[in-house]
Structures are given as C-alpha cells and as structure tokens.
Amino acid sequence: EVVPYVGRIAINNPAAPFAPDYRFGEVIGLAEPSISWKGDALSVCLRWVSLAVTETDYHLFVHILSAGGDLLTQYDAEPREGRYPTSGWSSGEVVEECITLDGAGLSEPPQRVSIGLYRWPDGERLPAADAQGTRLENDSLYIEIHAP
C-alpha cells in the first residue's frame, strides 16, 4: 500500500548573514526596519536573518498603535504572507519583505509601529532584545512614526 505524504520543499536564498540590530530568541535577527508613508499606506520593510534553524513556524506581527497604545490596525501572518514559514529558513539565510498597512480612516493619528514574532496558536512571543542584549518592552520593537 502506498501512503501519501505531503511535505514542504524550501528553495533557500544563499546565506548572507549580517549582524542584526535586534534578536528574537536565539533563532531570528532583524535589521533596523525601513518605514515610510505612501499616501495613506504605511510601508514597513523588514530584513530578517536566520541565526539558527528552527522547527517552529513563527508568526510576524506589525501593529500600528495610537499615542495611548491602542491598536489601530495590524498585520499578523507567517513571513511573506504565509508563503515562507520560518521552519523553512536555513541558517544564515536573509529573508526580506515589505508589509503595507492601510492608514486611511484611522480614528487617531498613529504614533508607533510594534514589530515582533510569536508562536501560533498560543501567542507566546519570542523574547526580543536589541544588539546589546537589552530585552525589549513586551518583546516587541517599537518605532515612533508620524502621520503623513
């Protein structure tokens, strides 16, 4: 009897490691994000580096927050819109992506972007630290922004 097996094949980018500005656990690094407004859309460009192979498929969150910390809009998914889970990354591989969030009609002017990684479905965040090893508040990278 033939038993079907469904698996994943990852065609990885060549290793091109860099010293990350931020670390999420011991497995994923992040360069300083690039953030820009294009009309009412906020573009958040991320450059990840795999520090070690992981079997866990982490989810990325990018949240736009008000001055009071209220969530105004968000993006939550596995990297590259779910098409390239972290369990497929090879050590040293660089993965780049840009997330676009619609800022039109927000009730308050956005003040910060919050970026991080978590495990689905329990929502446990990967510990986040800066390059000096200082733990980040709420295991999230916060970046001040200004409305367009």
Side-chain angles (χ1 to χ4, degrees):
E1 170 183 347
V2 175
V3 177
Y5 177 78
V6 176
R8 291 191 262 190
I9 297 174
I11 301 172
N12 302 100
N13 293 318
F18 60 87
D21 296 303
Y22 305 96
R23 297 174 75 93
F24 294 88
E26 297 301 317
V27 293
I28 298 174
L30 176 65
E32 188 67 42
S34 169
I35 299 177
S36 62
W37 285 99
K38 296 175 185 167
D40 286 332
L42 182 69
S43 177
V44 180
C45 293
L46 306 169
R47 185 169 186 248
W48 303 101
V49 62
S50 174
L51 303 174
V53 173
T54 180
E55 293 180 9
T56 304
D57 291 329
Y58 291 104
H59 281 62
L60 157 69
F61 66 86
V62 179
H63 296 167
I64 296 180
L65 307 172
S66 70
D70 295 324
L71 180 64
L72 300 176
T73 189
Q74 70 188 64
Y75 172 90
D76 284 75
E78 290 182 60
R80 295 230 179 127
E81 298 178 350
R83 293 188 309 265
Y84 198 22
T86 55
S87 65
W89 297 8
S90 62
S91 186
E93 181 177 6
V94 173
V95 177
E96 297 179 348
E97 65 180 314
C98 290
I99 309 300
T100 301
L101 294 145
D102 185 6
L106 294 179
S107 59
E108 299 181 50
Q111 298 295 317
R112 297 193 298 176
V113 171
S114 172
I115 301 168
L117 294 166
Y118 64 93
R119 188 176 59 217
W120 179 260
D122 66 14
E124 182 178 342
R125 291 185 179 182
L126 267 173
D130 65 16
Q132 291 74 41
T134 304
R135 188 90 176 251
L136 301 180
E137 177 187 354
N138 296 321
D139 291 319
S140 177
L141 168 59
Y142 291 103
I143 301 171
E144 300 294 321
I145 59 171
H146 304 283

